[in-house]
Amino acid sequence: MQKAGNRLAAALTVSLMATIALPRGALAETLRVGINAADITTLDPTRATATADVALVSWMFNGLVRFQPGTADPSKIEPDLAESWNNSPDGLTWTFKLRKDVKFHGDYGTLAAEDVVFSLARAKDPKTSSFSSDFAAVKSIEAVDPMTVRISLNEPVPGFLGLIANYHGGNIISRKAAEKLGADFKSHPIGTGPFMFDRAVTQQAVHLKAFPGHFRGMPKISDIQFDLIPSDSSRELAFRSGELDLIYGKREQRWVDQAKRWDNAVVDIFAPGEYRTIFLNMAHPPLEKIKVRQAIAHAINVDQIVQFVGASVGPRGCSVVPTGYLGEDCSWVYKYDPELSKKLLEEAGFPKGLKLSAVVSSSSAQQPIMEVIQAQLAEVGIDMQMKVVDHPTYQEQTRKDLSDIVFYGAARYPVADSYLSQFYHSDAAIGKPTAVTNFAHCDAADGEITAARKTASDAERLKFWSVAQKKIHEQVCSVPLFSLMQVWVRSKALDYGYELKGSLNLAPPITEQTTLTR
């Protein structure tokens, strides 16, 4: 604790010194950001999954197309590194014409088709990407000429443009840099974004500098200091004392309500919510019994959980597909009924209740919720024993299939296939070579999920997705809870340069238009 306090004090001293000479009302040079992470895992965009990593990546890289800054709306996707594109009537061939003279950071030259081919091929390869399953339908990626890329698909992909947007595997890197740096690329990333990597101090901070050669123009902020401050109270203290301009907030209603009363503060609550779900591991007895899974579903009081979290921070979910995603169908919900839960347990052969185990993250966004669920299950005789570990250990152990119940939250590209394929198709089951995040080992709707991917008709796709959700609901592979929205707090002096309604990268986009005055 003393070591962390010393790190924070040193970081705050540096930040304070950077602001002393600024005349009041002048544009500030340094944007000081505080994030709830102990360290950075990777800055390689095809491997970055943690919020802190993804935030930094989003400020350094571009995709062929991009979500309009401040939105997570697929209908507002616009050109980014590609100046134009077209697709075949069957949706299987997409051709992109690249912008000319787009510079990479450092001395790595200008963007060419070979960089796009290299980047997307890398995103498709499970050996180099955490998002390879997203690219399963990609048949080929080829350079038609030095400034034109053609992508061919084996089958239509719902929301294909989102796949190659400035999000996850869609970010484009420098081929020359990746081949030269090798494994070091993850700590010395080279992109085309408004900010470029400068340096990192382990468990303390990451520093970015404005990229003068950015194709949209020189950023108005000269550099970013990204302080790694796991403690919610320490981040809050630093912000309220004026040593940070932007912090990752605590996603709890009471905290949000307090933050709204701070001097000189603006609280931003925005989409997409990380869809909190309880996954029931059907590979672990006694959860292979459907009546046990039904008993759990009827014992969980989602309304009470939402009240605990706060409706504006954690709006209630209904389907296994997240709220607001294209294809979400809320025709089926589990009703809170503890008496029915007890009856189902008795019918399943557990009249005196049963014990289950859950690996739980110590994160403030998870452990308190699991404690509420633990108490709810106890009321019907289910003893959920929690093994509380740090968040990286939780990620590791749940992916080793060590938990009966997995509480997980994620934001994906907002179409039903994103969630159905990654969380409910048997190909994505934990333990398989093609594993993604199917912690339940659910296989109830494989046929419908696969069929929806292959159809080119939106109407047919929606029908398949609806049936898939019904089957998953009936099989009780999981219990949907709520969407935990993104919460950041900024100084009134920080102007993003757009209206913030959403960000798939889970952090406010810091662009060439962002300004900070003090």
Side-chain angles (χ1 to χ4, degrees), residues 14-272:
V14 171
S15 295
L16 181 59
M17 291 175 64
T19 65
I20 288 175
L22 277 174
R24 185 176 297 276
L27 286 177
E29 294 183 349
T30 302
L31 171 64
R32 304 158 307 178
V33 183
I35 189 72
N36 67 329
D39 207 352
I40 297 300
T41 304
T42 178
L43 295 178
D44 181 341
T46 63
R47 285 298 190 192
T49 57
T51 300
D53 300 354
V54 172
L56 286 164
V57 162
S58 72
W59 302 337
M60 294 188 286
F61 290 89
N62 297 94
L64 287 174
V65 298
R66 71 171 184 172
F67 289 88
Q68 198 175 89
T71 80
D73 185 349
S75 70
K76 294 184 178 179
I77 282 179
E78 60 185 19
D80 203 9
L81 296 179
E83 63 181 14
S84 63
W85 62 88
N86 60 69
N87 63 294
S88 60
D90 61 6
L92 297 179
T93 304
W94 294 74
T95 305
F96 298 86
K97 192 70 175 178
L98 303 182
R99 290 181 189 268
K100 296 179 181 178
D101 301 321
V102 173
K103 296 178 181 179
F104 280 109
H105 303 156
D107 299 321
Y108 288 99
T110 57
L111 173 75
E114 66 173 15
D115 296 296
V116 177
V117 172
F118 177 82
S119 299
L120 297 183
R122 194 168 175 269
K124 177 178 168 60
D125 186 350
K127 294 179 181 178
T128 53
S129 174
S130 299
F131 314 109
S132 59
S133 62
D134 295 346
F135 293 81
V138 174
K139 181 179 180 182
S140 64
I141 310 159
E142 56 187 326
V144 177
D145 61 44
M147 298 303 290
T148 308
V149 175
R150 179 185 297 132
I151 302 174
S152 300
L153 307 176
N154 290 313
E155 58 193 30
V157 174
F160 172 74
L161 286 176
L163 191 68
I164 45 89
N166 56 333
Y167 167 67
H168 284 175
N171 288 298
I172 303 303
I173 69 174
S174 163
R175 176 177 181 171
K176 182 179 178 181
E179 291 180 339
K180 178 181 178 180
L181 296 170
D184 288 338
F185 185 84
K186 69 179 182 179
S187 54
H188 295 85
I190 300 295
T192 57
F195 295 90
M196 55 186 178
F197 179 79
D198 180 25
R199 66 190 186 278
V201 181
T202 301
Q203 295 184 343
Q204 291 189 34
V206 177
H207 299 262
L208 306 183
K209 294 191 300 184
F211 178 39
H214 182 52
F215 65 92
R216 284 196 169 91
M218 176 73 175
K220 297 176 181 179
I221 290 172
S222 65
D223 59 299
I224 299 174
Q225 178 173 305
F226 194 78
D227 289 334
L228 304 166
I229 310 174
S231 166
D232 294 330
S233 58
S234 295
R235 287 197 313 283
E236 176 183 334
L237 176 62
F239 178 85
R240 297 189 70 179
S241 63
E243 306 308 324
L244 292 175
D245 307 301
L246 174 66
I247 62 170
Y248 182 91
K250 196 170 182 179
R251 293 184 285 177
E252 294 178 3
Q253 192 69 48
R254 285 175 293 181
W255 190 91
V256 166
D257 292 341
Q258 290 172 359
K260 286 180 177 179
R261 294 193 291 268
W262 297 347
D263 292 337
N264 197 38
V266 178
V267 179
D268 291 310
I269 301 175
F270 57 94

